[in-house]
Amino acid sequence: MNKIRLNPLNDFLFMKYMGEKGDEEQLLAFLNVVLRKTGNDGIVSVKILETKLSADIIGDKSSIMDLRAEMDNGTRVNIEVQLRNVGNMDKRSLFYWSREYGKSIQVGDDYDDLPRVITINIIDTELLPIDRVHASFHLWEDDDKDYMLTDMMEIHFIDMVKFRRLKGKDIEHNLLHRWLTFFDKTASDQTIQKIIEMDTSIGKAHEKIMSVAQDSEMLHQYQMREMAIIDYASGISNATIKGIAIGEQRGERKSQVKYVLKLSQKGMSAEDIAELIDLSIEEVTKILNTN
């Protein structure tokens, strides 16, 4: 295990262990777990349609990385990981669904050839005012809730905030709890090891994360993405964040204290601050307690 575990929901890292050629096993397993809620599990195979991880995308704080795949029954699926509260997740989810649905037909094609499209949003912010870790939506008639207009649209929201708050997590029997525990950066090494031993698909995902941690170039790209996400969420300029990350203020204790306090005020944990500005967790904790 890493001394500081990489964040599995960093979207660059998520794409590395779930969205590349060779990742079909873990993607298939995850989809079957999520779609069991709506009776769409039993997927036999999945094809990853697109993975674009250029340096420009990774370092762009406004860019969105989404995973596109096609299941063996022709259903298209779009997965997005969103760690920040952008205030328009519901609208953007509809946009991504419509984009995937619309791009599947050409002039002269039959509308019957349009595929079902499922959008899965993994969010780390409380978006929905309902007490559900996993919520799913379809087009239902307003007065007759048992009548669905069409099953062509299906949208899922998986809330990591509500999951972390959930009491009685059951990784032994609940496969979704198992995956969400794996996604949770705060999960203990012992728990992660237990999950890996229980589930081979999660084990493969963990192996990909470890390969990123041991590859200096990929680790740098991961850190670039972390900085871009933090920059967007906190309003701190990207240039300043990069300056912190490469240690330009490392020798100045006063500057270290300033940046630690600023990042803490923006909601970052001591572990994340320590990783970002290359201090030990003990040093960061001491600064926070002293100030």
Side-chain angles (χ1 to χ4, degrees), residues 25-45:
E25 178 183 335
Q26 50 266 39
L27 177 59
L28 179 64
F30 176 66
L31 289 176
N32 273 316
V33 167
V34 173
L35 299 182
R36 180 174 297 175
K37 181 178 188 290
T38 52
N40 293 299
D41 57 336
I43 308 162
V44 176
S45 63

PDB file of all heavy atoms in Angstrom, residues 25-45:
ATOM      1  N   GLU A  25     -12.645  -6.174 -17.562  1.00  0.00           N
ATOM      2  CA  GLU A  25     -13.126  -7.029 -16.473  1.00  0.00           C
ATOM      3  C   GLU A  25     -13.669  -6.210 -15.315  1.00  0.00           C
ATOM      4  O   GLU A  25     -14.780  -6.471 -14.815  1.00  0.00           O
ATOM      5  CB  GLU A  25     -12.003  -7.946 -15.974  1.00  0.00           C
ATOM      6  CG  GLU A  25     -12.431  -8.829 -14.799  1.00  0.00           C
ATOM      7  CD  GLU A  25     -11.303  -9.692 -14.240  1.00  0.00           C
ATOM      8  OE1 GLU A  25     -10.347  -9.984 -14.984  1.00  0.00           O
ATOM      9  OE2 GLU A  25     -11.379 -10.062 -13.058  1.00  0.00           O
ATOM     10  N   GLN A  26     -12.896  -5.225 -14.863  1.00  0.00           N
ATOM     11  CA  GLN A  26     -13.355  -4.439 -13.729  1.00  0.00           C
ATOM     12  C   GLN A  26     -14.511  -3.513 -14.109  1.00  0.00           C
ATOM     13  O   GLN A  26     -15.436  -3.291 -13.309  1.00  0.00           O
ATOM     14  CB  GLN A  26     -12.209  -3.656 -13.080  1.00  0.00           C
ATOM     15  CG  GLN A  26     -11.349  -2.833 -14.010  1.00  0.00           C
ATOM     16  CD  GLN A  26     -10.105  -3.581 -14.481  1.00  0.00           C
ATOM     17  OE1 GLN A  26     -10.175  -4.765 -14.748  1.00  0.00           O
ATOM     18  NE2 GLN A  26      -8.995  -2.875 -14.582  1.00  0.00           N
ATOM     19  N   LEU A  27     -14.505  -2.975 -15.334  1.00  0.00           N
ATOM     20  CA  LEU A  27     -15.618  -2.135 -15.770  1.00  0.00           C
ATOM     21  C   LEU A  27     -16.898  -2.951 -15.847  1.00  0.00           C
ATOM     22  O   LEU A  27     -17.970  -2.497 -15.399  1.00  0.00           O
ATOM     23  CB  LEU A  27     -15.311  -1.512 -17.133  1.00  0.00           C
ATOM     24  CG  LEU A  27     -16.429  -0.661 -17.745  1.00  0.00           C
ATOM     25  CD1 LEU A  27     -16.794   0.502 -16.830  1.00  0.00           C
ATOM     26  CD2 LEU A  27     -16.026  -0.158 -19.132  1.00  0.00           C
ATOM     27  N   LEU A  28     -16.806  -4.147 -16.404  1.00  0.00           N
ATOM     28  CA  LEU A  28     -17.969  -5.032 -16.507  1.00  0.00           C
ATOM     29  C   LEU A  28     -18.526  -5.361 -15.130  1.00  0.00           C
ATOM     30  O   LEU A  28     -19.749  -5.321 -14.900  1.00  0.00           O
ATOM     31  CB  LEU A  28     -17.572  -6.309 -17.250  1.00  0.00           C
ATOM     32  CG  LEU A  28     -18.651  -7.368 -17.445  1.00  0.00           C
ATOM     33  CD1 LEU A  28     -19.765  -6.831 -18.317  1.00  0.00           C
ATOM     34  CD2 LEU A  28     -18.045  -8.631 -18.072  1.00  0.00           C
ATOM     35  N   ALA A  29     -17.636  -5.681 -14.193  1.00  0.00           N
ATOM     36  CA  ALA A  29     -18.074  -6.023 -12.843  1.00  0.00           C
ATOM     37  C   ALA A  29     -18.773  -4.837 -12.184  1.00  0.00           C
ATOM     38  O   ALA A  29     -19.833  -4.991 -11.555  1.00  0.00           O
ATOM     39  CB  ALA A  29     -16.879  -6.471 -12.001  1.00  0.00           C
ATOM     40  N   PHE A  30     -18.203  -3.646 -12.324  1.00  0.00           N
ATOM     41  CA  PHE A  30     -18.796  -2.457 -11.722  1.00  0.00           C
ATOM     42  C   PHE A  30     -20.164  -2.149 -12.331  1.00  0.00           C
ATOM     43  O   PHE A  30     -21.128  -1.853 -11.612  1.00  0.00           O
ATOM     44  CB  PHE A  30     -17.855  -1.263 -11.887  1.00  0.00           C
ATOM     45  CG  PHE A  30     -18.418   0.033 -11.382  1.00  0.00           C
ATOM     46  CD1 PHE A  30     -18.668   0.217 -10.030  1.00  0.00           C
ATOM     47  CD2 PHE A  30     -18.723   1.065 -12.257  1.00  0.00           C
ATOM     48  CE1 PHE A  30     -19.204   1.412  -9.554  1.00  0.00           C
ATOM     49  CE2 PHE A  30     -19.259   2.257 -11.794  1.00  0.00           C
ATOM     50  CZ  PHE A  30     -19.497   2.429 -10.438  1.00  0.00           C
ATOM     51  N   LEU A  31     -20.268  -2.239 -13.661  1.00  0.00           N
ATOM     52  CA  LEU A  31     -21.548  -1.962 -14.318  1.00  0.00           C
ATOM     53  C   LEU A  31     -22.629  -2.939 -13.855  1.00  0.00           C
ATOM     54  O   LEU A  31     -23.768  -2.542 -13.596  1.00  0.00           O
ATOM     55  CB  LEU A  31     -21.387  -2.032 -15.838  1.00  0.00           C
ATOM     56  CG  LEU A  31     -20.602  -0.886 -16.488  1.00  0.00           C
ATOM     57  CD1 LEU A  31     -20.442  -1.131 -17.987  1.00  0.00           C
ATOM     58  CD2 LEU A  31     -21.291   0.451 -16.238  1.00  0.00           C
ATOM     59  N   ASN A  32     -22.292  -4.201 -13.763  1.00  0.00           N
ATOM     60  CA  ASN A  32     -23.280  -5.185 -13.318  1.00  0.00           C
ATOM     61  C   ASN A  32     -23.761  -4.893 -11.898  1.00  0.00           C
ATOM     62  O   ASN A  32     -24.939  -5.091 -11.580  1.00  0.00           O
ATOM     63  CB  ASN A  32     -22.706  -6.596 -13.406  1.00  0.00           C
ATOM     64  CG  ASN A  32     -22.911  -7.223 -14.771  1.00  0.00           C
ATOM     65  OD1 ASN A  32     -23.980  -7.137 -15.364  1.00  0.00           O
ATOM     66  ND2 ASN A  32     -21.876  -7.873 -15.295  1.00  0.00           N
ATOM     67  N   VAL A  33     -22.856  -4.416 -11.052  1.00  0.00           N
ATOM     68  CA  VAL A  33     -23.231  -4.078  -9.677  1.00  0.00           C
ATOM     69  C   VAL A  33     -24.179  -2.873  -9.657  1.00  0.00           C
ATOM     70  O   VAL A  33     -25.211  -2.888  -8.985  1.00  0.00           O
ATOM     71  CB  VAL A  33     -21.971  -3.787  -8.836  1.00  0.00           C
ATOM     72  CG1 VAL A  33     -22.347  -3.137  -7.509  1.00  0.00           C
ATOM     73  CG2 VAL A  33     -21.198  -5.072  -8.589  1.00  0.00           C
ATOM     74  N   VAL A  34     -23.837  -1.834 -10.397  1.00  0.00           N
ATOM     75  CA  VAL A  34     -24.659  -0.617 -10.406  1.00  0.00           C
ATOM     76  C   VAL A  34     -26.019  -0.875 -11.053  1.00  0.00           C
ATOM     77  O   VAL A  34     -27.065  -0.455 -10.541  1.00  0.00           O
ATOM     78  CB  VAL A  34     -23.926   0.522 -11.151  1.00  0.00           C
ATOM     79  CG1 VAL A  34     -24.848   1.736 -11.328  1.00  0.00           C
ATOM     80  CG2 VAL A  34     -22.674   0.933 -10.399  1.00  0.00           C
ATOM     81  N   LEU A  35     -26.020  -1.580 -12.174  1.00  0.00           N
ATOM     82  CA  LEU A  35     -27.255  -1.742 -12.949  1.00  0.00           C
ATOM     83  C   LEU A  35     -28.166  -2.834 -12.406  1.00  0.00           C
ATOM     84  O   LEU A  35     -29.294  -2.994 -12.877  1.00  0.00           O
ATOM     85  CB  LEU A  35     -26.901  -2.008 -14.414  1.00  0.00           C
ATOM     86  CG  LEU A  35     -26.102  -0.884 -15.089  1.00  0.00           C
ATOM     87  CD1 LEU A  35     -25.836  -1.200 -16.550  1.00  0.00           C
ATOM     88  CD2 LEU A  35     -26.827   0.451 -14.950  1.00  0.00           C
ATOM     89  N   ARG A  36     -27.704  -3.560 -11.409  1.00  0.00           N
ATOM     90  CA  ARG A  36     -28.569  -4.542 -10.762  1.00  0.00           C
ATOM     91  C   ARG A  36     -29.795  -3.868 -10.156  1.00  0.00           C
ATOM     92  O   ARG A  36     -30.881  -4.443 -10.113  1.00  0.00           O
ATOM     93  CB  ARG A  36     -27.778  -5.288  -9.689  1.00  0.00           C
ATOM     94  CG  ARG A  36     -28.569  -6.345  -8.932  1.00  0.00           C
ATOM     95  CD  ARG A  36     -27.664  -7.121  -7.997  1.00  0.00           C
ATOM     96  NE  ARG A  36     -26.646  -7.847  -8.736  1.00  0.00           N
ATOM     97  CZ  ARG A  36     -25.651  -8.537  -8.176  1.00  0.00           C
ATOM     98  NH1 ARG A  36     -25.562  -8.590  -6.857  1.00  0.00           N
ATOM     99  NH2 ARG A  36     -24.759  -9.163  -8.913  1.00  0.00           N
ATOM    100  N   LYS A  37     -29.632  -2.631  -9.709  1.00  0.00           N
ATOM    101  CA  LYS A  37     -30.737  -1.889  -9.092  1.00  0.00           C
ATOM    102  C   LYS A  37     -31.923  -1.744 -10.044  1.00  0.00           C
ATOM    103  O   LYS A  37     -33.085  -1.749  -9.619  1.00  0.00           O
ATOM    104  CB  LYS A  37     -30.248  -0.503  -8.665  1.00  0.00           C
ATOM    105  CG  LYS A  37     -31.293   0.379  -7.984  1.00  0.00           C
ATOM    106  CD  LYS A  37     -30.664   1.702  -7.563  1.00  0.00           C
ATOM    107  CE  LYS A  37     -31.625   2.517  -6.700  1.00  0.00           C
ATOM    108  NZ  LYS A  37     -32.760   3.037  -7.456  1.00  0.00           N
ATOM    109  N   THR A  38     -31.656  -1.600 -11.343  1.00  0.00           N
ATOM    110  CA  THR A  38     -32.725  -1.376 -12.316  1.00  0.00           C
ATOM    111  C   THR A  38     -32.959  -2.588 -13.220  1.00  0.00           C
ATOM    112  O   THR A  38     -33.586  -2.476 -14.269  1.00  0.00           O
ATOM    113  CB  THR A  38     -32.401  -0.137 -13.180  1.00  0.00           C
ATOM    114  OG1 THR A  38     -31.066  -0.269 -13.722  1.00  0.00           O
ATOM    115  CG2 THR A  38     -32.471   1.133 -12.357  1.00  0.00           C
ATOM    116  N   GLY A  39     -32.416  -3.735 -12.811  1.00  0.00           N
ATOM    117  CA  GLY A  39     -32.664  -4.960 -13.557  1.00  0.00           C
ATOM    118  C   GLY A  39     -31.905  -5.067 -14.858  1.00  0.00           C
ATOM    119  O   GLY A  39     -32.280  -5.835 -15.756  1.00  0.00           O
ATOM    120  N   ASN A  40     -30.827  -4.311 -14.974  1.00  0.00           N
ATOM    121  CA  ASN A  40     -30.037  -4.321 -16.209  1.00  0.00           C
ATOM    122  C   ASN A  40     -28.703  -5.046 -16.055  1.00  0.00           C
ATOM    123  O   ASN A  40     -27.802  -4.888 -16.874  1.00  0.00           O
ATOM    124  CB  ASN A  40     -29.761  -2.888 -16.679  1.00  0.00           C
ATOM    125  CG  ASN A  40     -31.017  -2.177 -17.117  1.00  0.00           C
ATOM    126  OD1 ASN A  40     -31.692  -2.584 -18.042  1.00  0.00           O
ATOM    127  ND2 ASN A  40     -31.354  -1.100 -16.420  1.00  0.00           N
ATOM    128  N   ASP A  41     -28.560  -5.822 -14.975  1.00  0.00           N
ATOM    129  CA  ASP A  41     -27.313  -6.555 -14.794  1.00  0.00           C
ATOM    130  C   ASP A  41     -27.331  -7.797 -15.686  1.00  0.00           C
ATOM    131  O   ASP A  41     -28.240  -7.989 -16.489  1.00  0.00           O
ATOM    132  CB  ASP A  41     -27.121  -6.931 -13.327  1.00  0.00           C
ATOM    133  CG  ASP A  41     -28.278  -7.757 -12.792  1.00  0.00           C
ATOM    134  OD1 ASP A  41     -29.382  -7.656 -13.351  1.00  0.00           O
ATOM    135  OD2 ASP A  41     -28.087  -8.501 -11.821  1.00  0.00           O
ATOM    136  N   GLY A  42     -26.350  -8.619 -15.559  1.00  0.00           N
ATOM    137  CA  GLY A  42     -26.252  -9.781 -16.433  1.00  0.00           C
ATOM    138  C   GLY A  42     -25.532  -9.468 -17.726  1.00  0.00           C
ATOM    139  O   GLY A  42     -25.644 -10.201 -18.714  1.00  0.00           O
ATOM    140  N   ILE A  43     -24.790  -8.363 -17.720  1.00  0.00           N
ATOM    141  CA  ILE A  43     -24.005  -7.983 -18.898  1.00  0.00           C
ATOM    142  C   ILE A  43     -22.874  -8.993 -19.064  1.00  0.00           C
ATOM    143  O   ILE A  43     -22.186  -9.338 -18.105  1.00  0.00           O
ATOM    144  CB  ILE A  43     -23.421  -6.565 -18.731  1.00  0.00           C
ATOM    145  CG1 ILE A  43     -24.518  -5.574 -18.355  1.00  0.00           C
ATOM    146  CG2 ILE A  43     -22.720  -6.110 -19.999  1.00  0.00           C
ATOM    147  CD1 ILE A  43     -23.983  -4.286 -17.769  1.00  0.00           C
ATOM    148  N   VAL A  44     -22.681  -9.456 -20.279  1.00  0.00           N
ATOM    149  CA  VAL A  44     -21.673 -10.477 -20.546  1.00  0.00           C
ATOM    150  C   VAL A  44     -20.346  -9.853 -20.966  1.00  0.00           C
ATOM    151  O   VAL A  44     -19.271 -10.324 -20.599  1.00  0.00           O
ATOM    152  CB  VAL A  44     -22.168 -11.454 -21.632  1.00  0.00           C
ATOM    153  CG1 VAL A  44     -21.083 -12.454 -21.991  1.00  0.00           C
ATOM    154  CG2 VAL A  44     -23.432 -12.164 -21.171  1.00  0.00           C
ATOM    155  N   SER A  45     -20.424  -8.776 -21.747  1.00  0.00           N
ATOM    156  CA  SER A  45     -19.193  -8.144 -22.226  1.00  0.00           C
ATOM    157  C   SER A  45     -19.428  -6.654 -22.396  1.00  0.00           C
ATOM    158  O   SER A  45     -20.560  -6.182 -22.513  1.00  0.00           O
ATOM    159  CB  SER A  45     -18.745  -8.754 -23.560  1.00  0.00           C
ATOM    160  OG  SER A  45     -19.714  -8.527 -24.574  1.00  0.00           O
TER     161      SER A  45
END
